[in-house]
């Protein structure tokens, strides 16, 4: 989003032709609240949401048919199938991932494997017209590079020399820019903040779906205490509505947060109106020993819902998925329904299905990349890509991946302290 905003600003300031440069944010306006860090950052730099233009608010195909459209692709270089007709309007690509030659439009392509596309936008501005750069735009670029490059941490290795160079140049031009750690910490905190979201938004924010023989299970990661989640007003009605709207038979909510001692806490809730299916899933999870979840039931007054404290905090959603597949197979066997192969689709902030109502309910054969430990980068947030063919670029950390890493560090520190005392 920042790359699109900043590049459009630069082009508008430096192009003499009577063209209008419009930064288009490639999500629906209604989906913006799911991007907590984006919402926070835009507010922090005083950019009102009302002036932004989202993909559902501009008809690119109509503009193309009228001969009035030129596209510049920022932070991606592949159009989805539904936009194939727009390929001939692409005049430039500015990206920071390896080019997929089969899909890249035949135009001017600027690609460099840096940690953040915002670095390349910063370079263009400072080399082309440094005098137009104001503090607001500098703050946007500065914070984005720091977030993308994980606070320029050398151990993580996302920041390249060019990323570091342009962060330093921005800081030299605007000495009052926020401290790196302060802006990184605040943006990371905003990523995990779900306080302003509706129940449906919380469930959709970080979700996967398992599908077998007509039975669908949604698994949502929620970054808050389960007890607080269960106390939300109208929760059961919201859960029923969510499952009904997307034809889910089961909803598994996997909560994760850190307690006052900075220790990771995981909890599970299984919502399912079908008694036999719910009991089968709960039975498989309770009896599992590879891995053992070490589940302790949490009292719940909600009908059709079973809640647990998960004693083994090392069992992430990635490790829970095979157990849920096993439970589905057991249920189908008990109902004498052929199980067939499982289908899993990842649905997250960074992967929005453009073909199926943008609701994230398409069923793609096979197992998708899991956000928790992604060896390959998921589709960029502002990408027009419906299937990510760019899976050879720099790794990107997800919310769950960061929690997983912090959990491991926390346990490692606990072990070290124990050894020191003895």
């Amino acid at each position: 989003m920042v790359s699109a905003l900043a590049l459009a600003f630069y082009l508008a300031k430096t192009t003499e032709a009577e063209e209008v440069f419009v930064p288009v944010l490639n999500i629906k306006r209604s989906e913006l609240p799911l991007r907590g860090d984006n919402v926070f950052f835009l507010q922090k730099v005083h950019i009102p949401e009302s002036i932004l233009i989202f993909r559902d608010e501009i008809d690119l195909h109509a503009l193309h048919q009228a001969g009035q459209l030129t596209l510049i692709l920022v932070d991606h270089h592949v159009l989805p199938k539904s936009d194939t007709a727009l390929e001939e309007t692409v005049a430039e690509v500015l990206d920071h991932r390896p080019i997929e030659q089969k899909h890249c439009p035949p135009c001017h392509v600027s690609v460099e494997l840096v940690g953040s596309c915002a670095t390349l936008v910063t370079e263009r501005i400072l080399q082309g017209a440094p005098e137009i750069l104001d503090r607001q735009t500098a703050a946007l670029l500065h914070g984005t590079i720091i977030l993308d490059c994980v606070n320029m941490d050398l151990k993580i290795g996302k920041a390249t020399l060019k990323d570091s160079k342009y962060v330093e140049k921005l800081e030299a031009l605007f000495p009052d820019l926020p401290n790196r750690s302060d802006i990184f910490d605040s943006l990371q905190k905003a990523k995990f903040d779900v306080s302003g979201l509706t129940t449906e938004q919380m469930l959709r924010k970080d979700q996967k779906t398992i599908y077998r023989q007509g039975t669908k299970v949604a698994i949502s990661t929620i970054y808050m205490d389960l007890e607080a989640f269960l106390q939300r007003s109208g929760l059961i009605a919201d859960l029923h509505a969510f499952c009904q709207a997307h034809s889910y038979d089961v909803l598994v909510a996997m909560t994760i947060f850190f307690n006052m001692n900075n220790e990771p806490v995981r909890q599970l809730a299984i919502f399912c109106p079908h008694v036999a299916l719910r009991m089968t899933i709960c039975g498989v999870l309770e009896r599992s020993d590879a891995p053992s979840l070490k589940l302790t039931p949490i009292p719940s007054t909600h009908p059709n819902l079973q809640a647990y404290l998960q004693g083994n905090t090392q069992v992430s959603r990635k490790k829970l998925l095979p157990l849920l597949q096993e439970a589905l197979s057991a249920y189908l066997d008990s109902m004498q329904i052929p199980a067939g192969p499982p289908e899993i689709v990842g649905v997250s902030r960074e992967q929005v299905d453009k073909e199926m109502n943008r609701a994230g309910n398409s069923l793609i054969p096979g197992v998708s990349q899991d956000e928790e430990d992604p060896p390959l980068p998921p589709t960029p947030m502002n990408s027009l890509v419906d299937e990510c063919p760019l899976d050879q670029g720099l790794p990107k950390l997800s919310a769950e991946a960061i929690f997983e890493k912090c959990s491991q560090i926390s346990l490692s520190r606990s072990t070290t302290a124990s050894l020191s005392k003895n």
Side-chain angles (χ1 to χ4, degrees):
M1 289 188 182
V2 166
S3 292
L5 289 168
L7 185 60
F9 169 75
Y10 167 75
L11 294 172
K13 290 286 189 180
T14 58
T15 304
E16 295 182 0
E18 293 183 1
E19 294 179 283
V20 177
F21 294 92
V22 181
V24 180
L25 309 185
N26 192 47
I27 59 172
K28 290 182 178 180
R29 182 177 290 274
S30 62
E31 292 168 358
L32 183 62
L34 303 183
R35 321 292 177 92
D37 47 351
N38 296 48
V39 173
F40 168 82
F41 201 25
L42 291 171
Q43 291 175 346
K44 187 175 181 65
V45 297
H46 307 296
I47 295 180
E49 293 177 19
S50 59
I51 70 169
L52 302 176
I53 297 176
F54 294 81
R55 182 61 193 271
D56 59 330
E57 298 172 335
I58 185 169
D59 192 338
L60 298 181
H61 290 272
L63 287 172
H64 175 37
Q65 291 172 2
Q68 297 179 320
L69 178 68
T70 299
L71 282 179
I72 297 177
L73 305 187
V74 184
D75 207 4
H76 66 289
H77 60 267
V78 182
L79 292 170
K81 297 180 185 70
S82 57
D83 285 335
T84 301
L86 300 179
E87 185 173 289
E88 61 187 355
T89 72
V90 179
E92 183 182 356
V93 166
L94 185 63
D95 199 3
H96 69 121
R97 293 176 174 82
I99 286 294
E100 179 69 26
Q101 296 293 348
K102 295 180 181 178
H103 302 283
C104 189
C107 63
H108 176 66
V109 177
S110 301
V111 170
E112 190 167 346
L113 302 183
V114 293
S116 175
C117 189
T119 295
L120 302 180
V121 177
T122 303
E123 179 180 49
R124 178 169 298 192
I125 294 174
L126 291 182
Q127 289 184 356
E131 69 279 0
I132 72 160
L133 187 64
D134 55 30
R135 189 193 179 283
Q136 184 183 48
T137 309
L140 278 172
L141 294 166
H142 179 257
T144 303
I145 298 171
I146 288 171
L147 182 64
D148 284 346
C149 296
V150 196
N151 202 18
M152 320 309 288
D153 192 327
L154 296 178
K155 294 179 182 178
I156 293 177
K158 283 206 67 177
T160 65
L161 290 176
K162 177 164 283 191
D163 294 303
S164 298
K165 172 185 175 181
Y166 281 100
V167 163
E168 291 170 2
K169 281 183 174 291
L170 290 170
E171 291 170 345
L173 289 169
F174 299 91
D176 64 334
L177 285 172
N179 174 275
R180 294 183 187 181
S181 293
D182 289 345
I183 192 63
F184 177 75
D185 291 344
S186 61
L187 287 171
Q188 284 289 71
K189 181 179 179 181
K191 270 188 178 183
F192 301 129
D193 184 8
V194 295
S195 59
L197 301 184
T198 65
T199 298
E200 180 182 7
Q201 288 172 332
M202 291 174 68
L203 295 171
R204 288 182 53 215
K205 184 177 174 70
D206 196 351
Q207 178 196 324
K208 285 189 179 294
T209 304
I210 299 176
Y211 178 82
R212 263 194 186 184
Q213 300 302 102
T215 303
K216 291 175 69 174
V217 180
I219 309 99
S220 298
T221 303
I222 298 174
Y223 301 97
M224 67 182 296
D225 183 356
L226 180 60
E227 294 183 9
F229 179 71
L230 294 179
Q231 291 172 6
R232 290 174 69 89
S233 176
L235 178 72
I236 292 301
D238 288 342
L239 297 183
H240 272 292
F242 180 76
C243 291
Q244 207 166 30
H246 306 294
S247 301
Y248 294 132
D249 300 282
V250 186
L251 171 63
V252 178
M254 191 173 200
T255 67
I256 181 168
F257 66 98
F258 285 89
N259 62 19
M260 297 296 291
N261 298 320
N262 204 33
E263 299 166 337
V265 178
R266 286 188 185 271
Q267 301 154 313
L268 280 176
I270 294 88
F271 174 77
C272 177
H274 309 290
V275 178
L277 180 53
R278 185 175 71 251
M279 290 180 65
T280 300
I281 291 175
C282 291
V284 169
L285 298 182
E286 290 172 4
R287 292 190 298 269
S288 174
D289 57 6
S292 171
L293 279 69
K294 300 181 180 178
L295 298 179
T296 303
I298 298 174
S300 171
T301 59
H302 296 297
N304 305 326
L305 187 146
Q306 177 63 56
Y308 299 96
L309 173 66
Q310 181 181 314
N312 185 357
T313 59
Q314 292 301 295
V315 179
S316 61
R317 183 176 60 184
K318 179 180 180 180
K319 299 170 185 175
L320 185 71
L321 286 171
L323 297 179
L324 293 172
Q325 292 177 35
E326 177 187 334
L328 270 187
S329 296
Y331 171 73
L332 294 173
D333 287 344
S334 70
M335 302 297 289
Q336 298 183 335
I337 302 173
E343 297 179 353
I344 300 177
V345 56
V347 181
S348 71
R349 317 186 277 160
E350 300 176 344
Q351 294 176 317
V352 181
D353 187 350
K354 307 294 191 302
E355 309 297 335
M356 299 286 289
N357 293 326
R358 297 173 178 256
N361 293 320
S362 67
L363 302 174
I364 301 173
V367 180
S368 67
Q369 291 288 347
D370 194 278
E371 294 105 339
E372 298 179 22
D373 187 22
L376 307 172
T379 307
M381 284 184 186
N382 66 335
S383 176
L384 295 175
V385 184
D386 50 285
E387 299 171 4
C388 184
L390 315 178
D391 289 344
Q392 292 159 12
L394 296 169
K396 186 169 183 177
L397 294 177
S398 69
E400 181 74 0
I402 293 169
F403 266 106
E404 195 72 17
K405 190 66 176 176
C406 292
S407 173
Q408 293 169 3
I409 293 170
S410 177
L411 290 174
S412 173
R413 287 177 175 172
S414 297
T415 303
T416 303
S418 177
L419 287 170
S420 298
K421 290 179 182 178
N422 291 335

